[in-house]
C-alpha cells in the first residue's frame, strides 16, 4: 500500500487452507503489510477489544472476515465491530462461501464494506483472491482515532 501508515490486515478465517491461499495471494499482489490471522472469532474479538490497542499502535486496520467460523457466526463479529466506536470506521471485507442474498443484504445493512463469495473451484478462488489483493493495494484506509 502506498499509504505511509502501517495497516494491519486482520484475517478471521478458520479454514487453514483458505487462510494460506489468501495470504499467499495478498503477498503476490505486492502487499507486505502485517497479517494477523485468527482461526476463531473469540480470539479475534479478544485481539480487537475496544480498538484502543490498535489505535495505540499508531496505524490503521483492515478486516477480512469469514462468516462460517467454528465457534461463532461472523455476522456477530461484524455487529460487535460496528458497535465499537474505535473499530466502527475499520473497513470490513466479508470473504465467505455463503452466497445467500438475504445474508449478503444483512451484512451490508450491518456495515460491511465489501462482500465477496469464495468460489468453490480452486482456480477461481485463487483468481478472486488475487484480485482482492490488487483491490487492497489501492484502498485508502482510515487511521484508528479516538
Amino acid at each position: 500500500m502506498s499509504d505511509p501508515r502501517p495497516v494491519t490486515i486482520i484475517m478471521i478465517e478458520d479454514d487453514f487452507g483458505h487462510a494460506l491461499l489468501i495470504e499467499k495471494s495478498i503477498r503476490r499482489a505486492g502487499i507486505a503489510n502485517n497479517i494477523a490471522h485468527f482461526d476463531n472469532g473469540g480470539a479475534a474479538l479478544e485481539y480487537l477489544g475496544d480498538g484502543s490497542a490498535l489505535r495505540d499502535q499508531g496505524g490503521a486496520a483492515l478486516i477480512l472476515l469469514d462468516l462460517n467460523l467454528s465457534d461463532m457466526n461472523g455476522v456477530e463479529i461484524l455487529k460487535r465491530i460496528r458497535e465499537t466506536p474505535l473499530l466502527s470506521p475499520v473497513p470490513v471485507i466479508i470473504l465467505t462461501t455463503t452466497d445467500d442474498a438475504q445474508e449478503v443484504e444483512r451484512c451490508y445493512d450491518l456495515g460491511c464494506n465489501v462482500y465477496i463469495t469464495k468460489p468453490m473451484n480452486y482456480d477461481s478462488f485463487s483468481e478472486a483472491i488475487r484480485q482482492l489483493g490488487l483491490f487492497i493495494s489501492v484502498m485508502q484506509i482510515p487511521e484508528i482515532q479516538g
Side-chain angles (χ1 to χ4, degrees), residues 35-132:
I35 298 176
H37 174 228
F38 298 93
D39 62 5
N40 67 75
L45 286 173
E46 184 177 322
Y47 173 80
L48 292 168
D50 67 358
S52 59
L54 286 172
R55 178 200 58 210
D56 295 346
Q57 291 173 11
L62 166 70
I63 298 172
L64 301 177
L65 175 61
D66 185 14
L67 294 182
N68 304 310
L69 301 168
S70 57
D71 66 333
M72 65 191 315
N73 188 310
V75 171
E76 183 59 34
I77 296 171
L78 177 61
K79 280 183 195 174
R80 291 193 198 176
I81 290 167
R82 293 303 181 232
E83 292 169 353
T84 305
L86 288 177
L87 296 175
S88 63
V90 173
V92 176
I93 297 175
I94 303 294
L95 190 58
T96 189
T97 55
T98 305
D99 64 355
D100 177 68
Q102 288 181 324
E103 193 75 358
V104 172
E105 184 175 341
R106 183 174 174 206
C107 287
Y108 277 112
D109 287 346
L110 290 170
C112 87
N113 299 89
V114 177
Y115 191 108
I116 299 171
T117 302
K118 296 178 195 170
M120 298 305 285
N121 171 284
Y122 175 83
D123 290 335
S124 298
F125 180 68
S126 184
E127 177 60 19
I129 299 304
R130 185 189 71 76
Q131 290 179 18
L132 172 64

Side-chain angles (χ1 to χ4, degrees), residues 11-31:
M11 177 173 38
I12 308 169
E13 169 62 70
D14 63 349
D15 183 308
F16 183 73
H18 285 184
L20 196 60
L21 183 57
I22 291 166
E23 182 166 358
K24 194 171 158 182
S25 297
I26 287 172
R27 299 293 181 223
R28 280 189 185 150
I31 299 170

